[in-house]
Amino acid sequence: MGINLEEVIATTADNLEGSLGHLFWWSIGKQTISREDLEDLLIDTGVGEVWLPNAIRPVDAFRRATSEVRAKRRTTSSPNVFENFLIREVFSDKRTVQRNIVVEQVDQDNKQLGYKADKGVMRLDKEYGTFSFEAEDPDVVRICEEVEHKFHQYRDYYGSQQVRAMIARISSSLAPTPVRRNGVIYFIPRQMNNGLSNLVELINRLDNSEAFKGPVVNTDDNVEMVSRKLNDHLDDLLEQLEGTEGLRKDQVRNLITETNRVIKDFKNYDQIILSEKEELREKVTRLRSEALKAMQELET
């Protein structure tokens, strides 16, 4: 079913008063933001600091920064021999993590010719969250300095991926129903108008990000659209729950979480899907049964 936004979205105050809810879409662009600034934004926009992501652990920032080392250079001994700079974790306990920069010599066909295990040493003091390194080769020193810069950035700032995950969690609390199979555009029922307005303001105050909402006109066609999209989403969840054999445990848990969210949010659609309520209620009952079965299988 194609969606014509001009026909769906209300354009007058009268239509707005009787709207079913809103269509909502958003995108998060490249950015970094400190924990303090993000917390202030969550409070200022009314979304609430309860959605603030977990504090960034220095050890996670250290491993992320060191894992991004990608370097290669031509040797002076032969134009057909190259050195790849790689990272290996050699030690970790409650106080320290140590990762070494190792150098792998390869030919032009990437066949290994040699291996040097300790060209650079990078350590994290877990207690104080401090980074240190030891290296003599100028190229290795440069790599360590770049890693140290990234470590401080990753330790002190959330990136786009973390912010995007936070926004997804917040939007999931607004009883969303995907209007398109791949998400992108969601229907949010009118009971969630205040929360949606706060979220849209939050996203639009983030760097390189945008969010839009448009009220959905209360017409027979739009009621049918919402009912059909909710029905499609229930069918999709049922199909996934009935075929979890090839999924990882974390994927099954995520599926169960989404299913439980849809079951809990179904009440927000009571006044929209009057003509198909019983049919959809039966599917919700089946979803509850399949989710319970999937949970039991995880625990065995």
Side-chain angles (χ1 to χ4, degrees):
M1 178 182 179
I3 302 297
N4 186 330
L5 296 183
E6 292 183 358
E7 294 178 358
V8 171
I9 294 177
T11 56
T12 69
D14 290 340
N15 282 334
L16 178 58
E17 289 297 321
S19 67
L20 301 173
H22 289 79
L23 292 186
F24 166 59
W25 59 102
W26 55 276
S27 65
I28 301 296
K30 185 176 181 180
Q31 65 184 275
T32 56
I33 184 169
S34 70
R35 181 176 176 83
E36 293 76 16
D37 287 346
L38 184 55
E39 183 175 16
D40 288 343
L41 264 182
L42 287 166
I43 294 171
D44 290 346
T45 58
V47 173
E49 67 270 32
V50 66
W51 295 105
L52 188 67
N54 293 332
I56 303 168
R57 300 192 310 162
V59 67
D60 292 335
F62 176 77
R63 287 198 168 105
R64 179 183 174 191
T66 52
S67 294
E68 292 182 1
V69 170
R70 297 287 186 277
K72 185 176 184 176
R73 71 181 177 186
R74 191 185 301 271
T75 61
T76 56
S77 59
S78 171
N80 295 323
V81 176
F82 302 86
E83 291 181 329
N84 293 325
F85 295 84
L86 309 172
I87 295 295
R88 295 289 182 270
E89 185 162 318
V90 297
F91 180 76
S92 178
D93 64 11
K94 293 182 178 180
R95 295 183 177 182
T96 307
V97 181
Q98 178 179 323
R99 286 190 159 188
N100 288 1
I101 297 179
V102 300
V103 179
E104 175 190 51
Q105 282 196 342
V106 297
D107 61 17
Q108 58 187 353
D109 297 321
N110 214 37
K111 181 179 179 181
Q112 189 180 83
L113 303 176
Y115 190 84
K116 300 177 183 178
D118 57 355
K119 293 291 288 185
V121 175
M122 296 178 289
R123 296 188 182 91
L124 172 72
D125 185 311
K126 290 184 178 180
E127 181 178 359
Y128 297 101
T130 54
F131 179 99
S132 61
F133 70 86
E134 301 166 11
E136 295 182 0
D137 185 310
D139 284 339
V140 177
V141 170
R142 176 183 55 78
I143 291 172
C144 290
E145 290 173 341
E146 291 177 358
V147 170
E148 183 174 21
H149 173 75
K150 287 185 176 182
F151 164 73
H152 288 296
Q153 182 180 28
Y154 296 157
R155 184 193 62 184
D156 299 333
Y157 293 88
Y158 295 116
S160 304
Q161 183 175 353
Q162 292 156 308
V163 172
R164 193 175 294 112
M166 179 196 72
I167 296 300
R169 288 194 298 273
I170 299 171
S171 63
S172 290
S173 72
L174 301 177
T177 293
V179 174
R180 292 180 174 168
R181 288 282 185 182
N182 60 347
V184 183
I185 300 177
Y186 299 87
F187 172 79
I188 308 294
R190 59 175 173 264
Q191 294 93 326
M192 302 295 179
N193 283 354
N194 289 338
L196 178 59
S197 295
N198 293 341
L199 178 56
V200 168
E201 181 183 353
L202 169 66
I203 295 172
N204 285 326
R205 288 175 62 176
L206 293 167
D207 291 341
N208 305 310
S209 304
E210 58 184 7
F212 303 92
K213 65 184 180 75
V216 176
V217 184
N218 188 355
T219 66
D220 290 343
D221 285 345
N222 286 342
V223 169
E224 180 185 355
M225 181 273 291
V226 173
S227 297
R228 184 176 301 184
K229 293 305 173 182
L230 179 58
N231 186 66
D232 288 346
H233 194 39
L234 297 180
D235 284 344
D236 184 53
L237 289 172
L238 278 169
E239 182 179 349
Q240 293 182 65
L241 284 169
E242 291 169 352
T244 59
E245 292 82 2
L247 298 181
R248 301 190 308 270
K249 287 188 175 181
D250 63 308
Q251 293 175 314
V252 176
R253 290 191 183 95
N254 290 337
L255 179 58
I256 293 171
T257 298
E258 171 64 6
T259 300
N260 288 333
R261 194 274 302 170
V262 169
I263 293 171
K264 177 177 68 70
D265 290 341
F266 184 71
K267 63 182 181 296
N268 293 291
Y269 290 82
D270 274 356
Q271 299 306 311
I272 301 176
I273 56 171
L274 296 175
S275 64
E276 301 181 36
K277 186 179 296 185
E278 290 309 314
E279 178 184 349
L280 293 175
R281 277 180 174 170
E282 288 179 6
K283 289 188 178 181
V284 168
T285 300
R286 287 175 56 198
L287 274 175
R288 187 178 287 109
S289 174
E290 291 294 335
L292 179 61
K293 186 188 301 182
M295 180 64 72
Q296 292 171 340
E297 289 176 355
L298 274 181
E299 294 174 351
T300 58

